[in-house]
Amino acid sequence: MAQDLYGVLGLKKGASEAEIRKAYRALAKQHHPDLNPDDKAAEDRFKQVSNAFSILNDADKRAAYDRGEIDERGAPTRPAGAAGPGQGPYWRDFAEGPGGRKYTYAHAEGGPEGFAAGGFDDILNEFLNRGGARRAGAGPGGMGGGGFAFPGADARYALAIDFLDAINGVTRQIQLPDGSQLNVRIPAGLRDGQTLRLKGKGQPGQGGAPAGDALVEVQVRPHPRFRRKGSDIEIDLPVSLPEAVLGGKVAVPTVGGEVNVTVPKGANTGTVLRLKGKGVPAAGSRAAGDQLVRLQVMLPSEVDGELEAFMTGWAASHPYDPRSGADGGGQ
């Protein structure tokens, strides 16, 4: 049984162009397959709505439909065998993404799977505007007969890098499904979980439209010694008992290479040395961070008799209680 295209959109025959576009937008968003996964009824309804819009949004086709010259499929209402079918509905052009993947438009941060934030409205606007393009275009495709122009889909990738590469910056490659490589420049100071957008490195566009973007989420592997806190870098540095008591120069690793620092006399576990500008490098408006070196006084792995005898005599004449200022929770 033939469908009434106005009824499919919930409209009456005299509906305005604005009413047709508004009805289509609401129904397309409601029944789109990406928003109703594994729902065959929603997919069928989406096809019906898209087909109705493809005819009623085209002034010439709508007039032909109203006069009974074409049916609800867009085919001429001629006797069988009189002529071939007319230009059929083009919902599939809209519904199927590049490479035959159905209903895939963008994969971008912040939106539901399959859509960038706000991307579905952009796609609807593109499709809605095609009615005007079809009226102005020379061919049935609406853009000079070669099919409508539609931006390429974004492509999502994940890339794991080392801690120091994220701090200092590096260029890494991603292997693409077609065997080619995508160069990804990691800016100095990148944080774990950041997403880099590479313009024009996504799926190719259709009809001369621009390609989508590549969205690369970068995962930073932890470092065995360095920790990041904002723009600062923290590290624990073991020092010997003589270095702590007498002070002196010691080598300290930093994210930019090894440097020598002075351990003050009488340094204790928990003493923090600040190395100005040795943290996350400056970039743009961000100033360089510092490196915070937290000292840890370490006794020898084995305490020999000489050290034990010395400490016995020293402790007898130099009593002190390191816990006197600590809150032990007692009375």
Side-chain angles (χ1 to χ4, degrees):
M1 182 176 179
Q3 287 182 317
D4 172 38
L5 298 185
Y6 292 98
V8 169
L9 297 180
L11 301 171
K12 295 183 178 180
K13 187 173 181 178
S16 67
E17 181 178 338
E19 289 172 329
I20 291 172
R21 292 161 70 91
K22 181 179 179 180
Y24 170 73
R25 180 186 293 273
L27 291 170
K29 292 179 74 171
Q30 178 182 352
H31 298 290
H32 195 281
D34 270 358
L35 304 180
N36 299 275
D38 302 321
D39 188 338
K40 186 65 168 59
E43 181 176 344
D44 290 342
R45 179 69 172 137
F46 174 74
K47 293 176 182 179
Q48 294 170 2
V49 168
S50 297
N51 175 61
F53 178 78
S54 72
I55 294 175
L56 299 182
N57 191 54
D58 185 305
D60 295 335
K61 283 194 169 191
R62 180 182 180 182
Y65 175 74
D66 288 346
R67 292 191 299 267
E69 296 172 2
I70 62 174
D71 62 17
E72 75 280 359
R73 299 170 300 158
T77 54
R78 298 170 180 167
Q87 175 67 29
Y90 56 91
W91 63 266
R92 184 172 284 103
D93 296 336
F94 171 68
E96 295 189 356
R101 292 185 299 278
K102 296 179 68 175
Y103 315 115
T104 301
Y105 303 102
H107 298 282
E109 189 174 26
E113 174 105 13
F115 297 97
F120 191 38
D121 284 336
D122 293 338
I123 293 163
L124 286 176
N125 288 335
E126 180 74 23
F127 188 52
L128 290 167
N129 289 335
R130 287 177 57 197
R134 291 173 74 87
R135 289 190 290 275
M143 299 293 263
F148 70 97
F150 196 83
D154 292 344
R156 291 192 69 96
Y157 302 99
L159 177 64
I161 63 173
D162 290 337
F163 182 92
L164 292 179
D165 288 339
I167 296 298
N168 297 312
V170 72
T171 297
R172 289 286 181 260
Q173 289 76 39
I174 292 176
Q175 189 79 19
L176 302 183
D178 63 1
S180 62
Q181 287 189 328
L182 176 64
N183 287 327
V184 181
R185 188 183 69 81
I186 307 297
L190 179 137
R191 293 179 178 276
D192 179 47
Q194 277 190 252
T195 297
L196 302 177
R197 181 181 290 272
L198 308 183
K199 297 292 290 182
K201 298 299 183 179
Q203 300 292 338
Q206 297 181 14
D213 301 336
L215 304 174
V216 183
E217 182 178 346
V218 183
Q219 297 148 4
V220 180
R221 302 184 185 100
H223 193 275
R225 299 195 66 183
F226 296 116
R227 301 180 300 275
R228 180 172 180 170
K229 187 174 183 180
S231 292
D232 294 337
I233 300 294
E234 298 180 332
I235 186 174
D236 296 327
L237 182 70
V239 293
S240 68
L241 182 60
E243 288 168 339
V245 173
L246 304 176
K249 294 278 188 179
V250 297
V252 178
T254 73
V255 294
E258 193 171 83
V259 299
N260 288 324
V261 300
T262 299
V263 175
K265 288 184 177 181
N268 216 329
T269 292
T271 297
V272 176
L273 309 180
R274 182 180 292 271
L275 308 184
K276 296 291 293 182
K278 296 298 183 180
V280 178
S285 60
R286 185 189 69 217
D290 302 334
Q291 178 159 313
L292 307 178
V293 182
R294 189 177 303 275
L295 301 182
Q296 293 180 328
V297 180
M298 306 293 290
L299 293 176
S301 56
E302 294 184 9
V303 177
D304 60 20
E306 184 177 357
L307 178 58
E308 185 176 356
F310 169 78
M311 293 305 301
T312 299
W314 185 90
S317 56
H318 299 80
Y320 75 101
D321 183 0
R323 293 169 294 282
S324 60
D327 182 7
Q331 302 248 339

